[in-house]
Amino acid sequence: MSPHVAQRNGRTATAEELAPLAFAGFAHFTAMQVRDGRVRGLDLHLDRLRAASLELFGDALPDDRIRSYVREALKAGPSDVSLTVTIHLPGDLEVLVRTRPPSSGPAGPLALTAVEHERVLPAVKHTGEMAKTYYRRQAVGEGFDDAAFVDRRGRLSEATIWNLAFWDGDTVVWPDADLLTGTMMGIVQRRLGELGVPQRVQEVTLTDLPGLAGAVVMNSWTPGIAVRRIGATPLPSAPAFVSALHRAYETEPLTRP
């Protein structure tokens, strides 16, 4: 029997309740890594869920209710898990909390192909995202590990399930484009500021890549996995950059839901 759970509004979800969600594209979610029953950046996850609910549904559930559902799911399994909170609107707002084995992502470094793509409602982490899986599968078929997105103006924005960050040898460079600000991205940005590591936001195009000193992808799994190539352009490994991102993340306190 699996130690992991799927709960609807704080109680075990039945197969009949879960089946319609397999075809429900109008929902949003957040994903987090829980360690020893605690999570980093909990405030950012709650902010994300609240803002997305208001954007999609015009209403939002209280933070305390979301936290109570997360606590209930954590009671039922291991203290280290990957946890996803999905909110949808079959009638009233409902919350699905699922747990899975913990993850820290691939080892890297990764090679990314570059494809022209702009997500619908990029600021919302929503479930209607077939293109992400499609482009990743295409990338793997072409010998890459994943895909980075380039918008119609030629700007790199994000990758399929990742934020992008770049390094110029001194400063962390965040791409200026329409994208999802990930919770990991938010954690790293505020902690880098406290550590005194310079940051800036600027447009980054494929032609800018040869002038950069490194790149990473990040998401709820990890604060940074090195990228060795985007398209045809190789990128330096920049271990000091990757280390700075991990150090920043580790200074974020763990919080109990």
Side-chain angles (χ1 to χ4, degrees), residues 143-230:
F144 293 87
D145 298 298
D146 214 322
F149 296 150
V150 179
D151 69 14
R152 70 192 75 184
R153 294 170 53 183
R155 303 177 300 178
L156 284 156
S157 57
E158 54 194 346
T160 57
I161 59 171
W162 314 91
N163 281 118
L164 293 168
F166 302 94
W167 180 242
D168 71 359
D170 175 70
T171 300
V172 179
V173 179
W174 302 99
D176 184 6
D178 292 332
L179 52 83
L180 176 70
T181 300
T183 53
M184 180 63 75
M185 181 177 173
I187 290 170
V188 169
Q189 285 178 329
R190 67 187 179 190
R191 293 298 166 180
L192 286 174
E194 293 179 3
L195 293 173
V197 178
Q199 306 175 71
R200 70 174 183 273
V201 178
Q202 73 172 54
E203 294 185 357
V204 179
T205 68
L206 293 174
T207 57
D208 294 324
L209 293 179
L212 293 170
V216 301
V217 292
M218 65 178 64
N219 64 10
S220 64
W221 289 335
T222 172
I225 297 172
V227 173
R228 63 181 177 85
R229 178 162 63 107
I230 298 180

Side-chain angles (χ1 to χ4, degrees), residues 127-156:
T127 58
E129 301 263 28
M130 182 184 75
K132 295 192 304 185
T133 303
Y134 173 77
Y135 285 123
R136 182 183 180 280
R137 288 175 60 86
Q138 292 290 106
V140 171
E142 295 169 6
F144 293 87
D145 298 298
D146 214 322
F149 296 150
V150 179
D151 69 14
R152 70 192 75 184
R153 294 170 53 183
R155 303 177 300 178
L156 284 156

Side-chain angles (χ1 to χ4, degrees), residues 33-200:
Q33 292 297 315
V34 180
R35 298 294 182 267
D36 190 28
R38 299 176 296 168
V39 62
R40 289 183 167 95
L42 180 63
D43 61 321
L44 300 177
H45 289 285
L46 294 172
D47 289 348
R48 163 186 280 174
L49 293 172
R50 189 185 324 108
S53 283
L54 291 172
E55 176 68 26
L56 294 186
F57 311 128
D59 193 11
L61 294 171
D63 291 353
D64 286 348
R65 189 182 304 178
I66 302 294
R67 295 179 72 163
S68 72
Y69 294 153
V70 171
R71 287 195 300 269
E72 192 64 30
L74 292 177
K75 289 179 185 176
S79 58
D80 291 358
V81 295
S82 299
L83 185 144
T84 303
V85 179
T86 302
I87 299 181
H88 62 119
L89 187 70
D92 297 322
L93 287 175
E94 294 197 355
V95 181
L96 175 69
V97 179
R98 294 177 298 150
T99 60
R100 294 290 186 273
S103 178
S104 57
L110 304 181
L112 308 181
T113 190
V115 298
E116 184 173 332
H117 176 63
E118 297 179 20
R119 295 192 307 109
V120 176
L121 290 176
V124 175
K125 191 175 181 69
H126 53 81
T127 58
E129 301 263 28
M130 182 184 75
K132 295 192 304 185
T133 303
Y134 173 77
Y135 285 123
R136 182 183 180 280
R137 288 175 60 86
Q138 292 290 106
V140 171
E142 295 169 6
F144 293 87
D145 298 298
D146 214 322
F149 296 150
V150 179
D151 69 14
R152 70 192 75 184
R153 294 170 53 183
R155 303 177 300 178
L156 284 156
S157 57
E158 54 194 346
T160 57
I161 59 171
W162 314 91
N163 281 118
L164 293 168
F166 302 94
W167 180 242
D168 71 359
D170 175 70
T171 300
V172 179
V173 179
W174 302 99
D176 184 6
D178 292 332
L179 52 83
L180 176 70
T181 300
T183 53
M184 180 63 75
M185 181 177 173
I187 290 170
V188 169
Q189 285 178 329
R190 67 187 179 190
R191 293 298 166 180
L192 286 174
E194 293 179 3
L195 293 173
V197 178
Q199 306 175 71
R200 70 174 183 273

